[in-house]
């Protein structure tokens, strides 16, 4: 194949392609793989029941189903859904938003492609702008989303140790500066891969920095409030004219409907709408049709608070217990799980890279993600990036439990083969 630059750029091996390939192979395979890798949400029976009822209602109610699948929506997204969502965000979060502040996309992954390339890259005057990630590790899916040169400039975090085995990343404001080449700031909250919830105070300070530089502040709320609300600590949802909040139906349990949501100033929403028309004609209408009643009635936030958040809170606790039981006597630190559904585990002075650990585990039927991929835009080679893994603990308990056992066996084997590294494990932060 003789490929253009675009062709080469988007057909090469990428972290996100490997992740989704692993995920596809595991979900369509014989079921023997412990799928602790991709970002699939859990199958929560009560939520699945609600979605099934939503579909039955669509089928029963006149031509509801035919309208949902039989015609194109406009490029901003299903109007009834957008109206209902604006009302929900006003009442639940107190945000001053109307329908003209909301555009839908075909999954928030695509929202990021549009937003990043809209605010960063080569600009009219020939200058190059970047997206600032003030706190890495950060979501793997951002990495390859630029049309041209890599877009990201990233910061190492400050690491606070909370007890013998738990730590939390913070934005390192001492080192953070926003210069004229910065096109936007972006953060995921809760963060994929760490389960970190950037504090209200950190959000305030980042907002102030974006205001000083007159650039947008993108808050990726794929796991956040008001839905799906996979948040175990305090996190006030924030929106104003300068912020762009992105949401999604995926982590409610509907990744298959590919519905992303962008909440932003009117001119930004108009821009997204225009790009939707070019890239997709329209946004998918099935997800909004399925979720409309839940949003209109406000039930979506009650389900998030009463079913989804408690479900993942229990799973997080259980995953922590398994990790502590398996790793006793070996060096490990885990990021405090404050949201989303991942454990981010750091093995200081790990004798092999996390990429090699990933390969060994894959060979044994356990899929995780190597930490290396979660530092887009970080220029220096920081050993920490090779010492961490991300574990998705949301899948069935039996396979997660077996997965933890095998992960610990492989990590212990690596340390046992290089015992001199054990003594160095405290030095590598
Ligand atoms: N943002 C974060 C932080 C994610 O973890 C994901 C998916 O895993 C996405 C965005 C993309 O989600 P979707 O395209 O399914 O809406």
């Amino acid at each position: 194949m003789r490929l253009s630059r675009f062709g080469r750029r988007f057909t090469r091996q990428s972290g996100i392609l490997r992740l989704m390939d692993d995920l596809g192979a595991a979900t369509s395979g014989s079921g023997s793989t412990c799928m602790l890798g991709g970002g699939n949400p859990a199958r929560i029976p009560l939520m699945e029941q609600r979605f099934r009822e939503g579909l039955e209602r669509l089928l029963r109610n006149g031509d509801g189903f035919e309208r949902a699948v039989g015609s194109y929506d406009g490029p901003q997204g299903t109007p009834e859904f957008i109206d209902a969502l604006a009302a929900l965000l006003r009442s639940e979060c107190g945000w001053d938003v109307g329908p003209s502040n909301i555009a839908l996309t075909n999954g928030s992954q695509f929202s990021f492609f549009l937003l990043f390339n809209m605010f960063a890259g080569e600009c009219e005057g020939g200058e190059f702008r970047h997206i600032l990630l003030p706190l890495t590790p950060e979501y793997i899916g951002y990495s390859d989303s630029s049309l041209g040169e890599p877009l990201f400039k990233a910061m190492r975090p400050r690491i606070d140790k909370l007890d013998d085995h738990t730590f939390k990343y913070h934005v390192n404001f001492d080192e953070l500066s926003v210069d004229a080449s910065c096109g936007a700031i972006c953060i995921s909250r809760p963060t994929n891969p760490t389960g970190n919830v950037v504090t209200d105070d950190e959000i305030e300070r980042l907002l102030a920095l974006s205001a000083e530089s007159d650039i947008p502040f993108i808050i990726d709320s794929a796991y956040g409030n008001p839905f799906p609300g996979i948040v175990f600590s305090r996190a006030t949802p924030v929106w104003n004219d300068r912020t762009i909040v992105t949401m999604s139906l995926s982590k409610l349990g509907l990744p298959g409907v590919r519905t992303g949501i962008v909440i932003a100033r009117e001119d930004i929403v108009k821009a997204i709408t225009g790009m939707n028309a070019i890239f997709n004609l329209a946004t998918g209408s099935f997800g909004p049709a399925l979720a409309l009643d839940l949003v209109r009635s406000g039930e979506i936030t009650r389900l998030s608070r009463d079913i989804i958040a408690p479900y993942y809170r229990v799973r997080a606790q259980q995953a922590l217990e398994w990790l502590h039981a398996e790793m006793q006597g070996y060096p490990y630190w885990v990021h405090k799980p404050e949201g989303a559904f991942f454990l981010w585990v750091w093995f200081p002075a790990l004798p092999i890279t996390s990429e090699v650990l990933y390969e060994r585990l894959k060979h044994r039927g356990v899929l995780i993600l190597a930490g290396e991929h979660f530092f887009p835009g970080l220029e220096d080679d920081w050993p920490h990036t090779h010492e961490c893994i991300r574990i998705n603990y949301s899948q069935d308990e039996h396979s997660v439990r077996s997965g933890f056992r095998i992960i610990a066996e492989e990590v212990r084997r690596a340390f046992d083969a290089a015992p001199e590294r054990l003594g160095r494990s405290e030095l590598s932060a």
Side-chain angles (χ1 to χ4, degrees):
M1 257 194 307
R2 281 181 59 206
L3 293 176
S4 65
R5 240 186 231 166
F6 174 96
R8 278 209 307 278
R9 164 118 196 71
F10 289 100
T11 55
R12 69 187 178 204
Q13 188 53 245
S14 65
I16 196 73
L17 172 62
R18 192 165 68 172
L19 178 159
M20 295 311 290
D21 266 351
D22 279 354
L23 200 155
T27 41
S28 62
S30 62
S32 58
T33 304
C34 298
M35 187 55 201
L36 281 53
N40 255 354
R43 295 188 52 177
I44 305 176
L46 275 168
M47 292 304 297
E48 290 190 329
Q49 181 60 28
R50 283 294 198 285
F51 301 142
R52 188 173 275 272
E53 285 163 12
L55 181 58
E56 283 164 359
R57 213 172 304 127
L58 264 187
L59 291 169
R60 267 198 321 270
N61 284 355
D63 63 349
F65 173 73
E66 286 72 16
R67 275 194 294 123
V69 298
S71 56
Y72 292 112
D73 265 332
Q76 191 186 343
T78 315
E80 299 91 317
F81 182 81
I82 289 178
D83 289 349
L85 184 60
L88 181 92
L89 294 172
R90 279 197 303 274
S91 68
E92 280 290 328
C93 307
W95 295 353
D96 183 18
V97 293
S100 57
N101 297 112
I102 299 175
L104 305 187
T105 61
N106 289 333
S108 63
Q109 182 69 18
F110 190 60
S111 312
F112 286 102
F113 179 76
L114 299 180
L115 290 168
F116 290 157
N117 288 290
M118 186 171 149
F119 291 112
E122 224 165 282
C123 300
E124 282 292 328
E127 79 275 21
F128 190 89
R129 295 216 191 98
H130 63 265
I131 301 287
L132 174 66
L133 304 176
L135 182 64
T136 48
E138 185 53 280
Y139 173 47
I140 188 172
Y142 299 158
S143 291
D144 289 287
S145 55
S146 60
L147 270 173
E149 297 296 305
L151 293 180
F152 300 103
K153 206 164 169 180
M155 300 289 304
R156 281 193 200 187
R158 199 186 80 216
I159 299 178
D160 278 9
K161 292 183 173 169
L162 305 179
D163 63 28
D164 285 354
H165 287 292
T166 317
F167 72 100
K168 178 173 165 68
Y169 291 128
H170 285 284
V171 179
N172 187 353
F173 285 100
D174 292 343
E175 304 280 323
L176 187 67
S177 63
V178 179
D179 61 30
S181 71
C182 184
I185 302 177
C186 176
I187 206 152
S188 62
R189 186 190 199 223
T191 307
N192 174 358
T194 55
N196 191 13
V197 172
V198 170
T199 64
D200 284 356
D201 180 54
E202 287 171 310
I203 290 286
E204 281 304 315
R205 293 178 71 176
L206 291 171
L207 265 176
L209 280 175
S210 76
E212 270 165 34
S213 310
D214 196 20
I215 52 172
F217 178 26
I218 305 170
I219 304 177
D220 177 353
S221 193
Y223 303 84
N225 291 322
F227 64 80
I230 313 174
V231 179
F232 320 135
S233 65
R234 184 188 152 84
T236 310
V238 173
W239 184 85
N240 65 27
D241 250 17
R242 198 171 304 286
T243 54
I244 302 173
V245 173
T246 62
M247 298 173 67
S248 169
L249 297 186
S250 294
K251 312 301 172 178
L252 283 168
L254 293 173
V257 301
R258 310 304 303 128
T259 303
I261 299 162
V262 177
I263 304 140
R265 235 170 41 201
E266 260 182 67
D267 54 341
I268 296 173
V269 164
K270 279 210 178 99
I272 298 282
T273 302
M275 290 189 284
N276 270 338
I278 291 172
F279 289 111
N280 293 307
L281 298 184
T283 56
S285 34
F286 189 63
L290 200 58
L292 178 61
D293 285 344
L294 294 178
V295 173
R296 223 178 230 158
S297 63
E299 202 189 349
I300 201 161
T301 49
R302 284 193 294 280
L303 291 170
S304 299
R305 205 169 35 231
D306 299 342
I307 294 177
I308 298 180
Y311 177 90
Y312 285 111
R313 192 190 290 269
V314 168
R315 297 299 307 269
Q317 199 48 44
Q318 185 184 49
L320 274 181
E321 282 163 22
W322 291 338
L323 178 76
H324 293 316
E326 293 292 346
M327 285 309 303
Q328 270 200 16
Y330 285 80
Y332 72 97
W333 290 83
V334 57
H335 194 285
K336 183 179 182 200
E338 299 178 308
F341 38 69
F342 310 107
L343 284 193
W344 176 254
V345 190
W346 169 31
F347 304 107
L350 185 67
I352 52 176
T353 63
S354 60
E355 187 62 29
V356 171
L357 180 59
Y358 159 84
E359 291 293 346
R360 289 186 184 177
L361 288 168
K362 187 171 178 177
H363 191 67
R364 295 195 58 191
V366 179
L367 294 176
I368 51 114
L369 285 184
E372 277 95 332
H373 304 291
F374 293 91
F375 296 84
L378 197 69
E379 275 160 10
D380 48 351
D381 190 22
W382 183 27
H384 187 78
T385 64
H386 305 287
E387 297 173 342
C388 300
I389 59 171
R390 190 195 80 174
I391 302 172
N392 178 338
Y393 55 75
S394 72
Q395 302 306 296
D396 78 276
E397 287 186 29
H398 176 72
S399 82
V400 178
R401 181 73 190 92
S402 314
F404 270 94
R405 195 168 300 126
I406 296 169
I407 292 167
E409 274 169 24
E410 286 300 325
V411 171
R412 288 199 300 260
R413 190 159 74 87
F415 275 111
D416 290 348
E420 74 285 356
R421 304 286 288 200
L422 283 168
R424 293 179 39 201
S425 60
E426 279 309 306
L427 303 178
S428 62

